[in-house]
Amino acid sequence: MTVIDSLSLAEARRLALAAQGFADRPVGGTADRRHLRRVLARTGLLQMDSVSVLQRAHYLPLYSRLGPYPTALLDDAAYRAPRELFEYWGHEASLIPVDLHPLLRWRMEAARTAAWGQMRHIATEQPELVARVRDEVADRGPLTAAEIEDDAPRTTGNWGWNWSNVKRALEYLFWSGEVTAADRTASFARRYDLPERVLPARVLDAATPSDAEAYRGLVEIAARALGVAAEPELRDYFRLPKGVVVPAVTELVEAGVLIPVTVAGRPRPAWRHADVKLPRAVGRATLISPFDPLMWQRRRVEELFGFSYRIEIYVPAPKRLYGYYVLPFLQGDRFTARVDLKADRRAGRLLVPAAWIEPGAEAGETAVALAAELRRLAGWLGLAEVAAPAAGDLAAPLAAALAGVSGVP
């Protein structure tokens, strides 16, 4: 008979934060590859996004866990030999440890049916173009799409991307694993090359697991990264197909890797990873990216933390509640505020269009902690000062705290 453990909501919160690395010992000195590996062992992958109003999305989760660190640390791991990360579709576009490449080959093999419509259509309707583009990469790579394009027609996709047919062909080849990302240009354009010229030979030579084995491996990584999770959350972490999580969970429970649990106030069955330890407390105070793995499952965030969050980048300005690029502020095991931020690099200022207090948080105490964190963030971004917040119910206390806080490391 399976024994089902029970967790209070506070215990589940601490477990979730510990799994993501927020209870780890702070970095003493400058972060190095060991610290990067520690974070990736916690999160499993880092989501990428092109929005740069503050900082590119994949850099911010490391900052939230390590504090100020040299961004070259991540760039080198992803784009310089010996590579430890590669770009592929994980949660969304992601930086993923190279050792997970075999576990994602099922997705590469399913490109013709699973890739987005524009990619599928170019593969089925213009296979000769796809072959020509691959040959161009093989002969001349690494290349951006712009270095291959001639007068290829463009098609606007669902997100407004003005992709040429060459770009669509490259993205199909990227999805299928026939090309990969060699690096990124200064404007964040992907430069494509053949996997054998980019990825370690030991990775490409590794045996391909069965689909069931791959799903089980990815579910375990997701469970370890989440600490405690229900089926939709385990499936969403690597965007797995429906129906594959429960069989994987059953095997992992039988192996003692996952433990069935109930969480007070959460009606769905859940499992905790046996290796994730429950800390007595979480003492971190840091800003969290909208694209941080901690924030991926909005329902989970609301149930565990009582924090309702929505990315409003794609919401028309008059309809936004909090702002364009809003970061939650984590204090201990609670979100106590949220702040809209923008890096004005030309003026050397961190702009704060709005700051908001969360229900139950004490405004003065939160403002002082948030002011210190904003100054730390500004320093990491190379910005000389933090502007007074322009709007929001935390604006006045935060402005006062910023005026009285200086020299915060």
Side-chain angles (χ1 to χ4, degrees):
M1 181 177 178
T2 302
V3 177
I4 300 177
D5 288 353
S6 61
L7 295 170
S8 69
L9 207 53
E11 289 172 330
R13 279 198 302 271
R14 297 201 305 274
L15 198 65
L17 291 168
Q20 282 287 307
F22 291 104
D24 288 348
R25 180 177 300 176
V27 175
T30 303
D32 57 26
R33 280 281 180 109
R34 294 170 302 159
H35 300 101
L36 173 65
R37 292 174 189 136
R38 185 181 76 183
V39 172
L40 266 297
R42 297 293 196 189
T43 66
L45 70 168
L46 299 171
Q47 184 177 345
M48 307 183 78
D49 191 84
S50 60
V51 175
S52 60
V53 64
L54 182 69
Q55 175 61 289
R56 300 284 186 195
H58 52 292
Y59 294 113
L60 284 166
L62 290 171
Y63 168 82
S64 298
R65 291 156 179 80
L66 301 177
Y69 74 98
T71 55
L73 179 66
L74 181 57
D75 294 336
D76 289 349
Y79 303 120
R80 306 227 182 340
R83 293 177 189 248
E84 297 191 30
L85 303 170
F86 76 110
E87 288 191 33
Y88 191 59
W89 295 103
H91 179 73
E92 293 286 346
S94 304
L95 284 173
I96 305 170
V98 293
D99 289 338
L100 299 194
H101 185 278
L103 296 183
L104 291 164
R105 290 176 188 162
W106 60 271
R107 179 166 284 156
M108 299 174 189
E109 293 167 0
R112 191 166 289 272
T113 57
W116 296 343
Q118 290 188 49
M119 303 177 204
R120 293 199 312 273
H121 294 159
I122 204 73
T124 56
E125 295 170 9
Q126 298 188 51
E128 71 291 343
L129 173 63
V130 175
R132 179 174 71 80
V133 168
R134 189 192 182 283
D135 289 344
E136 284 281 311
V137 173
D139 292 342
R140 299 170 48 221
L143 296 169
T144 65
E147 291 173 310
I148 301 176
E149 291 164 350
D150 38 38
D151 294 324
R154 293 178 178 272
T155 302
T156 301
N158 293 335
W159 293 101
W161 293 325
N162 191 22
W163 279 9
S164 70
N165 283 345
V166 167
K167 174 65 172 175
R168 293 162 67 193
L170 280 166
E171 286 300 309
Y172 174 79
L173 291 166
F174 178 81
W175 190 297
S176 67
E178 295 180 70
V179 303
T180 190
D183 56 19
R184 293 272 182 163
T185 67
S187 62
F188 204 57
R190 186 182 279 145
R191 298 177 70 221
Y192 302 86
D193 207 346
L194 300 182
E196 53 265 35
R197 295 202 291 246
V198 173
L199 300 178
R202 64 172 181 80
V203 171
L204 296 177
D205 293 342
T208 300
S210 68
D211 287 1
E213 290 170 333
Y215 298 148
R216 186 168 62 250
L218 293 172
V219 168
E220 180 180 357
I221 294 167
R224 186 188 300 272
L226 292 167
V228 56
E231 186 275 343
E233 297 147 12
L234 294 171
R235 175 160 43 92
D236 180 69
Y237 208 80
F238 283 96
R239 298 293 167 89
L240 298 176
K242 291 184 178 180
V244 307
V245 170
V246 172
V249 165
T250 298
E251 294 181 16
L252 291 168
V253 169
E254 291 174 352
V257 175
L258 298 186
I259 301 168
V261 297
T262 60
V263 178
R266 300 197 79 199
R268 291 175 292 180
W271 298 268
R272 63 172 292 182
H273 197 287
D275 291 345
V276 179
K277 305 304 180 185
L278 178 63
R280 293 182 179 179
V282 177
R284 197 65 57 94
T286 188
L287 287 160
I288 306 294
S289 162
F291 300 98
D292 193 287
L294 185 65
M295 305 304 297
W296 286 347
Q297 268 282 324
R298 304 287 189 261
R299 178 176 174 180
R300 179 175 187 259
V301 171
E302 186 161 6
E303 290 178 353
L304 289 183
F305 296 91
F307 185 75
S308 178
Y309 183 77
R310 178 188 186 190
I311 296 177
E312 298 187 275
I313 292 172
Y314 308 108
V315 176
K319 296 184 178 180
R320 290 179 193 139
L321 296 178
Y322 298 105
Y324 178 79
Y325 200 76
V326 176
L327 281 71
F329 181 48
L330 179 70
Q331 274 189 287
D333 67 350
R334 302 301 297 266
F335 291 109
T336 58
R338 63 185 84 198
V339 59
D340 188 18
L341 296 177
K342 179 179 181 179
D344 184 346
R345 294 175 178 86
R346 180 172 297 180
R349 305 177 79 205
L350 179 60
L351 304 181
V352 188
W356 309 88
I357 192 74
E358 284 300 298
E362 200 282 315
E365 177 184 321
T366 300
V368 170
L370 180 54
E373 170 62 3
L374 289 172
R375 289 189 179 279
R376 185 178 76 144
L377 175 65
W380 177 61
L381 295 174
L383 305 174
E385 62 177 304
V386 181
D393 58 8
L394 190 59
L398 181 57
L402 286 167
V405 176
S406 63
V408 177

